[in-house]
């Protein structure tokens, strides 16, 4: 596969519907049967993926009964907010850990460097 | 929906459930069970695990329904909870020592696809769905949410706790792998 075909392939995969590729890439596609075929295949795959949103698989039989029994046993907590994004907590914890480690390192360095 | 069938009043049911009606919530479960189970299946790739994830998602939805605001669609809200539960399950499985959910739920190639998987694939009616399920979960989640459910990269990044750039990179990899696997299948 030629280098240009790889670059175009990346562009085709990354492009969203409605996006236009650069004129240079478009010129290459116009002259390259392999890239034309790849673009057509990619568009077809995306259409098929989009079509999947309309199809559902049936939930296991008795599913509603099982869930209903679970929520009757679990009175819930109306005051609970919806689940928060988990990364906020992770960033906060990581930030605190970095600050603490930095502080400890500076303190240790100052202790070591302090003249006797 | 069949002609003459009464359109369910989801907003009214949500309001009743927010007031504590388990019957109204059970009706919401009945109305949304298939779509939530399907999303869970597409994310986990395993029918049994998907049933657990879907059940857990509904229980969490019940606990949090008082905080649900009517400016969002109920089904969209449920989808986000389902993704959250599936992702939490994946993290839990990884902590247990498996590399990914795929390691736990995918049967060895020699054994062939499981019966329940074939049944659900048949319901999906597409070899594309099988190719999708063969992707690693980190890539599959992004391509499912973006290309099947039309989420934005910002929404995916927030719910999967990754950056927008990671979401874009995973989508690119997923699409490439998907195309390669479909090509390989069509050659067989």
């Amino acid at each position: 596969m030629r280098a240009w075909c790889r670059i175009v392939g990346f562009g085709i995969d990354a492009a969203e519907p409605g996006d236009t590729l650069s004129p240079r890439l478009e010129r290459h596609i116009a002259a390259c049967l392999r890239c034309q075929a790849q673009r057509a295949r990619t568009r077809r795959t995306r259409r098929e993926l989009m079509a999947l949103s309309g199809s559902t698989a049936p939930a296991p039989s008795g599913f509603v009964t099982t869930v209903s029994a679970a929520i009757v046993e679990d009175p819930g907590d109306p005051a609970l907010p919806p689940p928060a994004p988990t990364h906020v907590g992770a960033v906060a914890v990581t930030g605190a850990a970095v600050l603490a480690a930095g502080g400890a390192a500076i303190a240790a360095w100052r202790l070591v460097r302090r003249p006797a | 929906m069949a002609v003459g069938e009464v359109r369910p009043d989801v907003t009214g049911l949500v309001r009743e459930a927010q007031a504590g009606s388990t019957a109204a919530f059970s009706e919401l479960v009945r109305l949304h069970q298939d779509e939530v189970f399907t999303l869970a299946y597409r994310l986990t790739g395993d029918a049994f695990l998907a049933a657990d994830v879907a059940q857990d998602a509904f229980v969490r939805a019940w606990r949090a329904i008082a905080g649900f605001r009517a400016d969002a669609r109920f089904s969209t809200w449920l989808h986000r909870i389902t993704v959250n539960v599936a992702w939490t399950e994946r993290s839990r499985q990884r902590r247990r020592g498996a590399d990914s959910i795929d390691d736990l739920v995918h049967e060895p190639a020699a054994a062939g696809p499981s019966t329940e998987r074939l049944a659900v694939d048949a319901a999906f009616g597409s070899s594309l769905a099988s190719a999708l399920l063969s992707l690693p979960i980190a890539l599959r989640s992004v391509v499912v949410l973006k290309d099947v459910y039309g989420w934005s990269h910002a929404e995916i990044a927030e719910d999967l706790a990754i950056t927008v750039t990671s979401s874009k990179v995973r989508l690119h990899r997923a699409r490439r792998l998907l195309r390669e696997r479909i090509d390989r299948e069509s050659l067989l």
Side-chain angles (χ1 to χ4, degrees):
Chain A
M1 186 185 284
R2 291 166 54 193
W4 266 106
C5 294
R6 285 175 198 264
I7 296 167
V8 168
F10 187 89
I12 289 171
D13 278 336
E16 295 303 325
D19 283 356
T20 48
L21 297 178
S22 75
R24 199 166 182 188
L25 295 187
E26 288 291 356
R27 273 200 302 278
H28 172 85
I29 294 171
C32 176
L33 287 177
R34 185 203 299 264
C35 290
Q36 286 170 24
Q38 183 180 336
R39 175 183 259 181
R41 230 172 30 234
T42 303
R43 284 179 175 165
R44 194 177 60 237
T45 304
R46 285 198 204 164
R47 273 199 306 274
E48 288 174 4
L49 282 170
M50 224 184 291
L52 284 181
S53 66
S55 63
T56 53
S61 58
F63 183 81
V64 179
T65 313
T66 311
V67 175
S68 298
I71 63 167
V72 166
E73 285 169 18
D74 181 332
D77 182 356
L80 273 179
T86 51
H87 69 286
V88 175
V91 168
V93 170
T94 309
V98 168
L99 283 175
I106 290 169
W109 180 78
R110 290 182 69 175
L111 282 173
V112 171
R113 301 275 296 179
R114 186 171 293 164
Chain B
M1 181 177 290
V3 177
E5 197 176 329
V6 180
R7 186 178 288 275
D9 176 20
V10 172
T11 312
L13 288 169
V14 168
R15 221 173 286 132
E16 284 178 45
Q18 285 178 318
S21 167
T22 51
F25 191 80
S26 293
E27 183 60 13
L28 287 169
V29 174
R30 190 186 66 77
L31 291 171
H32 293 92
Q33 57 175 336
D34 291 348
E35 62 181 275
V36 168
F37 171 73
T38 303
L39 173 59
Y41 179 72
R42 284 180 179 145
L43 293 171
T44 61
D46 178 81
F48 289 116
L49 192 55
D52 286 347
V53 166
Q55 185 182 328
D56 200 8
F58 277 116
V59 171
R60 282 206 205 180
W62 165 248
R63 287 178 188 160
I65 198 160
F68 171 71
R69 294 190 305 274
D71 54 350
R73 277 184 63 198
F74 183 68
S75 60
T76 308
W77 184 71
L78 267 181
H79 284 183
R80 294 190 71 163
I81 293 176
T82 308
V83 171
N84 207 286
V85 172
W87 208 244
T88 305
E89 182 64 20
R90 173 197 184 240
S91 308
R92 202 165 60 85
Q93 304 283 19
R94 288 184 78 167
R95 276 200 303 275
R96 277 188 189 167
D99 285 340
S100 72
I101 279 182
D102 305 69
D103 295 340
L104 295 167
V105 301
H106 283 179
E107 297 185 0
S114 62
T115 313
E116 81 276 5
R117 184 164 169 174
L118 284 175
V120 184
D121 283 354
F124 284 27
S126 162
S127 60
L128 175 66
S130 301
L132 198 57
L133 292 172
S134 72
L135 296 179
I137 189 170
L139 302 184
R140 185 170 64 235
S141 305
V142 175
V143 81
V144 162
L145 296 175
K146 184 80 178 73
D147 286 345
V148 180
Y149 291 95
W151 287 29
S152 69
H153 279 296
E155 289 170 327
I156 294 169
E158 186 181 342
D159 279 35
L160 300 188
I162 58 176
T163 63
V164 168
T165 307
S166 293
S167 174
K168 288 180 179 175
V169 169
R170 285 185 193 186
L171 181 67
H172 167 64
R173 285 188 192 152
R175 283 173 174 170
R176 184 167 47 80
L177 267 178
L178 201 54
R179 206 181 48 242
E180 285 171 7
R181 289 184 184 181
I182 291 169
D183 286 352
R184 203 182 307 149
E185 239 179 64
S186 64
L187 289 174
L188 291 176

